[in-house]
Amino acid sequence: MVKLIHTLADHSDDVNYCAFSSSCLATCSLDKTIRLYSLNNFTELPYSPLKGHTYAVHCCCFSPSGHILASCSTDGTTMLWNTHNGQTLAVLKQPRGSPVRVCRFSPDSAYLVSGAADGSIVLWNVQSLKLYRSGSVKDGSLVACAFSPNGNLFVTGSSCGDLTIWDDKMRCLYNEKGHDLGVTCCDFSSQAVSGGEQGSRYFRMASCGQDNQIKLWLISLADLLGCVLKYECTLNGHSAPVLACAFSYDGQMLVSGYVTTCAFAPDIPLLATGSMDKTVNIWQFDPKQHCAGSGLEDEPKRSIENWSEEEVSVWLCAQGLKDLVGIFKMNNIDGKELLSLTKHSLTNDLKIESLGLRSKVFRKIEELRSNVDSVSLGIPDEFLCPITRELMKEPVIAADGYSYEKEAMENWISKKRRSSPMTNLPLQSLILTPNRTLKMAINRWLETQQKYNETT
């Protein structure tokens, strides 16, 4: 069970990031400030807000000890703050002064990473406050960063969709396209995972992006093999770009959402989410309920047909159908069998007596079949609305240069959202222009599909 217990509404503009220490919550915003709150009663600390950045603050993070807070901004700097009194400890200027989008401390507090809009990345020595190493990615802005739990490597994500793995000497170990439309966030689980014939130990990482997906990866740094990156699975379910994801401190839960930021507290069952509505919500959850339909521990495999019986059980729990787990296990229902179930088999073979339960599970199975069918159609991604992820009927071009389904974009704007669904940047105009060229291309594709279906 997850319940909202408090809302913070002190920022005057979009909340970009939030982070916990063992005693404080930090939030930062487009309003150029960082605010600090006590976890005892969520009152703002006496020296809050922290002011020093001249433009929007994009990210903030605590050192592992909680004594230092880092924040980075469009003004091209990363600032370090004393969390006991709010005093400025240092102002670290990004090379070439590019807007800094993300910052992260290493697990031992020895280094701080800052990544910028021009693709530059800097590894700072926290003790000397000097630049230790620097590098850059080939394309896009750096928007995400996460250290492995042992601190031997870190991963950066870019707006062009690349995930890049670096070692602690800033050597690029591996690069892979993770999300077609851009990475938005990434995070490591604290729990190591065993795998492979040699019993290799991997770290699990989650990444999310503008493609509405969350992907899980297994990463290992082996002396002989170098860096090993293995795709594990994709978590579907979001119908809009996934802007944030975070593992709980014990690595047992993963949260994701269409909010600008989310973070777990280290020692108590609290979750904070921040949004473009200028607020931060504090949620309390039961850490023992890992199968309560919240989506925090749902890990579907790459193909529903390949689901094991255990994965079907996890799916049932996530849909609020925990009572049916025993029946499905007794009948050895795996992914292939799940997709073949009918109303008749639910009644006569599985003998589910409750009409309500039968109707609900069949409806959920139909949704699964729909997902499988939409993938098999192979719809070109450029024909799908970035908001609904459905084939567009009336595509329009917004001021950000992207095309959307007209009704979806009008609904977006009607909710007083003046930012781009794709970039989160302010829309310079709310005028929507019909994209007739794209509409004709979609119609031609539909005609081709119809002819193909008629001949098969």
Side-chain angles (χ1 to χ4, degrees):
M1 180 67 67
V2 180
K3 66 176 181 178
L4 178 65
I5 62 171
H6 201 84
T7 296
L8 305 171
D10 298 309
H11 283 293
S12 60
D13 212 328
D14 298 2
V15 176
N16 285 332
Y17 209 84
C18 59
F20 281 100
S21 71
S22 59
S23 60
C24 299
L25 169 67
T27 64
C28 63
S29 167
L30 288 180
D31 65 11
K32 310 176 190 177
T33 69
I34 306 104
R35 293 181 179 270
L36 287 155
Y37 301 88
S38 167
L39 294 188
N40 291 330
N41 51 13
F42 304 111
T43 56
E44 195 163 4
L45 298 182
Y47 51 82
S48 176
L50 305 180
K51 298 181 179 179
H53 289 293
T54 55
Y55 289 101
V57 185
H58 293 287
C59 184
C60 61
C61 62
F62 287 98
S63 64
S65 67
H67 298 323
I68 302 174
L69 177 71
S71 61
C72 59
S73 166
T74 302
D75 62 16
T77 69
T78 302
M79 297 185 68
L80 301 184
W81 311 83
N82 185 324
T83 57
H84 297 297
N85 53 27
Q87 291 184 354
T88 304
L89 299 175
V91 179
L92 309 175
K93 296 182 179 180
Q94 195 78 3
R96 298 189 296 277
S98 180
V100 186
R101 301 295 187 189
V102 64
C103 57
R104 197 73 74 236
F105 282 99
S106 63
D108 60 1
S109 296
Y111 299 106
L112 174 72
V113 168
S114 63
D118 64 355
S120 66
I121 183 167
V122 175
L123 195 61
W124 303 91
N125 185 306
V126 175
Q127 184 173 2
S128 67
L129 301 177
K130 301 293 185 183
L131 188 151
Y132 172 63
R133 293 279 195 278
S134 64
S136 64
V137 295
K138 293 181 180 179
D139 299 300
S141 301
L142 281 174
V143 294
C145 178
F147 270 94
S148 64
N150 63 4
N152 289 344
L153 56 84
F154 63 93
V155 175
T156 57
S158 74
S159 59
C160 71
D162 286 349
L163 292 169
T164 306
I165 303 177
W166 311 79
D167 68 8
D168 54 4
K169 300 294 188 297
M170 278 293 296
R171 291 177 294 210
C172 180
L173 304 177
Y174 194 88
N175 184 78
E176 178 162 324
K177 177 72 74 174
H179 295 268
D180 291 338
L181 302 176
V183 176
T184 52
C185 188
C186 61
D187 193 27
F188 273 95
S189 167
S190 60
Q191 296 295 315
V193 180
S194 297
E197 297 180 0
Q198 305 300 321
S200 303
R201 301 289 282 177
Y202 294 90
F203 289 113
R204 176 176 282 130
M205 186 191 76
S207 65
C208 57
Q210 300 283 359
D211 56 4
N212 302 5
Q213 294 181 337
I214 306 142
K215 293 184 178 181
L216 296 184
W217 312 82
L218 296 177
I219 301 175
S220 173
L221 186 60
D223 293 336
L224 297 177
L225 299 177
C227 182
V228 177
L229 175 68
K230 294 175 63 177
Y231 165 78
E232 188 177 16
C233 64
T234 296
L235 306 182
N236 296 303
H238 286 286
S239 59
V242 188
L243 302 184
C245 64
F247 277 104
S248 59
Y249 272 71
D250 62 5
Q252 296 301 305
M253 288 187 283
L254 174 68
V255 66
S256 62
Y258 183 69
V259 287
T260 53
T261 178
C262 55
F264 283 98
D267 303 315
I268 50 179
L270 292 180
L271 170 71
T273 59
S275 175
M276 288 178 279
D277 64 4
K278 309 175 189 178
T279 69
V280 176
N281 284 333
I282 312 296
W283 308 82
Q284 189 174 52
F285 62 92
D286 183 351
K288 296 179 182 179
Q289 282 192 324
H290 288 169
C291 192
S294 62
L296 297 178
E297 205 176 73
D298 181 13
E299 296 188 8
K301 299 300 178 185
R302 359 185 153 180
S303 171
I304 297 170
E305 291 183 351
N306 295 329
W307 280 4
S308 66
E309 293 177 23
E310 188 60 36
E311 287 164 336
V312 171
S313 298
V314 171
W315 175 79
L316 285 170
C317 291
Q319 309 308 314
L321 296 165
K322 189 175 181 180
D323 293 342
L324 297 180
V325 169
I327 296 174
F328 274 61
K329 281 189 173 182
M330 188 184 304
N331 289 274
N332 306 115
I333 304 297
D334 58 14
K336 190 172 183 180
E337 291 293 329
L338 178 68
L339 291 174
S340 67
L341 290 176
T342 64
K343 290 182 179 179
H344 181 271
S345 60
L346 290 173
T347 304
N348 299 304
D349 298 334
L350 299 189
K351 302 189 184 305
I352 300 175
E353 296 180 359
S354 167
L355 176 60
L357 272 179
R358 286 203 308 271
S359 299
K360 183 174 181 180
V361 71
F362 186 72
R363 187 167 64 250
K364 295 297 182 181
I365 293 171
E366 287 286 274
E367 291 175 5
L368 281 182
R369 291 194 188 110
S370 175
N371 290 337
V372 172
D373 292 342
S374 66
V375 171
S376 62
L377 280 173
I379 302 174
D381 198 71
E382 60 269 23
F383 293 172
L384 299 176
C385 172
I387 298 174
T388 65
R389 296 301 294 171
E390 296 177 356
L391 185 68
M392 287 185 278
K393 299 176 182 178
E394 294 294 334
V396 294
I397 303 173
D400 59 1
Y402 290 95
S403 291
Y404 305 91
E405 176 61 37
K406 182 180 179 182
E407 183 180 359
M409 194 58 185
E410 287 176 343
N411 288 339
W412 177 276
I413 294 172
S414 70
K415 294 177 181 178
K416 297 182 180 180
R417 292 168 171 163
R418 298 185 63 88
S419 60
S420 162
M422 294 294 287
T423 67
N424 280 337
L425 297 175
L427 292 171
Q428 301 302 315
S429 169
L430 299 182
I431 295 175
L432 302 177
T433 305
N435 191 337
R436 295 186 176 86
T437 302
L438 179 57
K439 185 175 182 179
M440 287 190 292
I442 293 173
N443 288 337
R444 283 196 299 269
W445 180 83
L446 287 171
E447 290 172 3
T448 302
Q449 290 294 311
Q450 186 176 2
K451 290 178 181 177
Y452 173 78
N453 292 333
E454 289 173 353
T455 58
T456 58

